[in-house]
Amino acid sequence: MATNWTERIRAFCCSPSGFLTETSPDTFLSELLRELRDDRVSYGVKVLLLSPLCEYPTLLCSSESAGEETALDLMSVFTQCPSRFSQFRCHLLVALTGVLVCSSCVNGHSRAALDFLDLLLRMARDASDPPGEGTRRLLRATACDCLREMEASCPGLLSQRLELLAGLRQLETSRLHQAFGVLQILALRNAVYQLTKQAGAGAAHLKALLGGNGSVAWEADQEAVHMDATDAAMLSSLILGPMGRVPTLHTGPDCKELRSVLSSLLEESYLLTPLCQAALFHRLTEVVAMVPGIPPAVFRAQLLRLLGTNEVCLLHVTLLMKCGFTDSLFSAEDEAFLLKRLVVLSQHPLLSSPEKLFYMDCILHFPENRPISCGDSDEAPPVLLTPQLASVLLPSVFNDSATLLSRLNLQALVFLEEGDEESRGLAYIYDHLAALLHIVDRGGSRDIVVTFFRAAFLFLFYFHHVERYATCLSEQLCHLYLQHTRLAPHILNLVNQTQERLPECKWFVGLLQGLQRVITRVPFGQLPLHDLSSHLKVLDRVAEEEEICQRSSLCFLSTIVTQTSSSLCTSGDWRLGNGLLGVCRRVLLHPNLDSMLIPLADILQHLAFHYGDTDIRDHARLYYTFLTMLSREKLSAVLVQSAAEGGGQVKKRTLSCVMAESEGLTNTLTVHQTEKPIFQLTEALPGPHQEAENLQLNQEDEYKTLECYRAQFSKSGFASLIVLKYHLTHTEPHDPRFEQLFSIQLHFSLTDDHYEELQDISVPCLFRQGPPPVVQLTLKPRRPYPTTIHASAIFTSKDGLTWHTAMPDIHVAFQQVFLPLPAPPTWSRASTRDVFECLWDEMRHETGESCISLFCCQLGEAALKALVEKHFHSFLVPDPLEEAAEFRALLFLPPKSHMLLKIGSTEDAAHFNMATDDCRLLPQMNSYLLKVTSSLENSVS
């Protein structure tokens, strides 16, 4: 058995979703719990059995009820487990915590979560560890970690146990002192935050909270622990934003109890590890920020140790404290010392690059005592960071890429604040940029190339207004391109980013003019053919700018087209021809087209007659027709993809779109992906139940009912199918582009192998204003289990583009698999009754996979009758007496399983006697009955 479970657990952990295609989560969970309760299984194997619950609790316990039932079973196993098996008991506590938290039992205030919290608190208090053994200490440490996880998932849960937690920390002499301290400060921070949300809360409430030692929070006040998403986001860190946003608790000067608790925690903080110290100071800073009655000077005794630390986490929390309290805790001397220390650490040779980058980022976001800028996220050097102090962080070509760019950014900000365009610092930065360009020119690696262009963008971002350096950089880039045309994508990207981020700067226009000049002045005999493609891409981008005259570009095109007929035109290179047409298309849209009409027409006519590729000739001929036959306004209307009014409307396609490289042809042939689902399948309401006709058979036929019924399963044409009807509807909010959809092809993919593969379904059209079409989903089960079906679709929008969209998953519930008995059409009701009796007699002996079970619930006779009428009416087996004290239902679950029910009531409960020929269906049926009966129980209560 151990070997079998080892293989199964390994298979589950390797692919949980793939493993669950062979069985259902409920079945696998019930098998795990059964093995955990089995005394014959060794505890080493039981630890292995807990791993799925520890790692994938959400997958196995998808609902709160399933999580509570699983937790109760695990707590029963924990109670019965001998204390010497401490490792297994620790794993049990971890599994219980994961199940309760992930199934929302903690936030849902379930009884199982309350009992588990009481168990954890009892174990945390129990320090009676026998001499020479550490089993109890290990269990207490695990219990403390579980309590911290529960408090983090449900803030305020332990707010009534603050005095107990403080006592545990003070009395603990082992390593658990640290764990109890972290747990106490977390509970204290959450409790104080809750008080800030209560109207009228003050010093008396805080005093009562610190001295409280009652039950967990929700037993005293269930509403107190409820927090919305905004509170949860705020609790992640209360001091990352402006301090004005921190909620406060007005206690006045009378809060000596809280001051005593904080002092005790601070005095013992040096005993903790650096990470725990950072967490402790972070939470203490939040508490002091929320209680103005506690002065920030309470941290003063620890500040000297924090300022001299070499731990990253402690230095970070020191900066958080400075951000929160500024000059109320940090003097001007402290601020200057901290900044100098950051500068030293940013270039310390013994530190790693990530640490240095972190310290430089801290400098750029240094929380000043009296900040000049009001921005929360803008990078700006502090006032105390002078050029002389920052000179130790000048970039060098020997720095790695990230460090070089970070230092360059910092120095640029410092010299920008200085405002002197003739300073030596700015000259040094440009010389450094020129050195990088020289390395690229000498054949630098790809990393060096990327670093140079990023550095060039940073320089332009800050100093584009310094004309002397901007012009010099433009000239050097033109020379660099002429030597290395492969850098065209990098240069064009620099142009585009500069235009986008610096719209008021026209530096990029000058660079494009320089590139056009160096390209068109290259002698024809010195023009390599492999560079021509890059040249055409650059000239295409140059032609986009209205300020640049295109006459030299057309002369260049005319030269290479007319003088290379034997090599270029006759070769018929489609990509090269498409590049030529791309430049021509841009020129067709240029404002000064009238002055360039004749040279452009000559180029297009030559391509139309002499180019070796038919596609390029046809496109050139079409462009020539546009140029000679259409007016300026009509030409622009045809070539420009005008954006429709109304925001977000897809651009209309024109015939000319197929002429431009990577623009029209790609747009036409590409299947576009939607950002969100466009439509969905919603379950159609079922029609009224149809009563079966009461047909009569001859007496001799009724004796062979069961054999006749089973014989049809062996027929080749017999197939049990489940037909589910859905409406295809648009999702909300709607997108104007997809008001009318055509040629919709729905595709379905299964998440398990419980059903046969589904065929695609075609829907002719879907209009938002019209009635939703009905989609029939036909399932052929292999095993009658609930499942989830992934759905997607390909469709055509009204502008002719093809789109692919993901659709919301389709969830097939267990009750949707129920079908009436597939009886022959000539059967009578008495025949159905005979089949029920025969099947029940067979199943009650529990042979093979047959088994019986009983489900009970608190329902009155009237409520039970209403439940049967609502959920089992179509499956009832007629009773000839019509006065029987129980209902009988026969459910057929394809392909050939059955679930038989005898439903009755007594004075105090309703009973559902179940019999089935597939015992694996019982957990599903039990969950379904629990769901339908609990809703009636709640309505009655």
Side-chain angles (χ1 to χ4, degrees), residues 60-128:
L60 297 178
C61 305
S62 56
S63 64
E64 184 175 340
S65 59
E68 186 168 7
E69 292 176 8
T70 304
L72 292 174
D73 286 338
L74 293 177
M75 289 178 66
S76 175
V77 174
F78 182 87
T79 304
Q80 298 173 6
C81 177
S83 58
R84 65 179 182 275
F85 298 106
S86 58
Q87 289 285 351
F88 174 65
R89 302 184 85 193
C90 290
H91 281 82
L92 262 178
L93 294 180
V94 175
L96 273 164
T97 305
V99 167
L100 290 172
V101 169
C102 294
S103 61
S104 302
C105 289
V106 178
N107 291 325
H109 312 150
S110 68
R111 189 69 195 177
L114 178 62
D115 294 340
F116 181 59
L117 278 171
D118 289 338
L119 173 65
L120 291 177
L121 289 171
R122 288 198 307 270
M123 295 178 61
R125 289 196 300 264
D126 187 6
S128 58

Side-chain angles (χ1 to χ4, degrees), residues 475-487:
E475 293 174 354
Q476 289 182 306
L477 285 174
C478 292
H479 180 268
L480 179 68
Y481 168 75
L482 203 57
Q483 300 299 320
H484 306 279
T485 56
R486 60 182 175 84
L487 299 178

Side-chain angles (χ1 to χ4, degrees), residues 207-235:
K207 182 178 180 180
L209 198 64
L210 293 174
N213 195 14
S215 59
V216 292
W218 73 58
E219 193 176 34
D221 183 6
Q222 292 190 8
E223 296 298 327
V225 296
H226 175 72
M227 291 194 179
D228 55 17
T230 305
D231 291 334
M234 172 90 55
L235 271 177

Side-chain angles (χ1 to χ4, degrees), residues 828-840:
S828 67
R829 294 184 177 182
S831 302
T832 304
R833 186 170 62 252
D834 293 341
V835 172
F836 181 91
E837 295 294 345
C838 294
L839 289 175
W840 186 277

Side-chain angles (χ1 to χ4, degrees), residues 305-327:
R305 178 166 61 89
L306 292 176
L307 289 175
T309 184
N310 60 349
E311 297 288 344
V312 174
C313 55
L314 290 179
L315 191 59
H316 179 253
V317 80
T318 305
L319 292 172
L320 285 177
M321 294 169 62
K322 192 175 188 310
C323 177
F325 303 124
T326 62
D327 57 356

Side-chain angles (χ1 to χ4, degrees), residues 247 565 617 639 748:
S565 299
R617 290 201 306 270
L639 292 177
F748 306 96

Side-chain angles (χ1 to χ4, degrees), residues 96 102 124 184 196 241-242 253 286 326 355 475 588 611 619 736 757 787 794 796 830 858 876 893 896 899:
L96 273 164
C102 294
Q184 179 191 357
T196 63
E286 293 175 330
T326 62
E355 290 177 301
E475 293 174 354
L588 284 171
Y611 205 82
H619 292 165
E757 291 294 333
T787 187
I794 292 180
T796 302
Q858 296 288 337
L876 291 179
L893 296 88
K896 51 183 178 180
M899 180 69 66

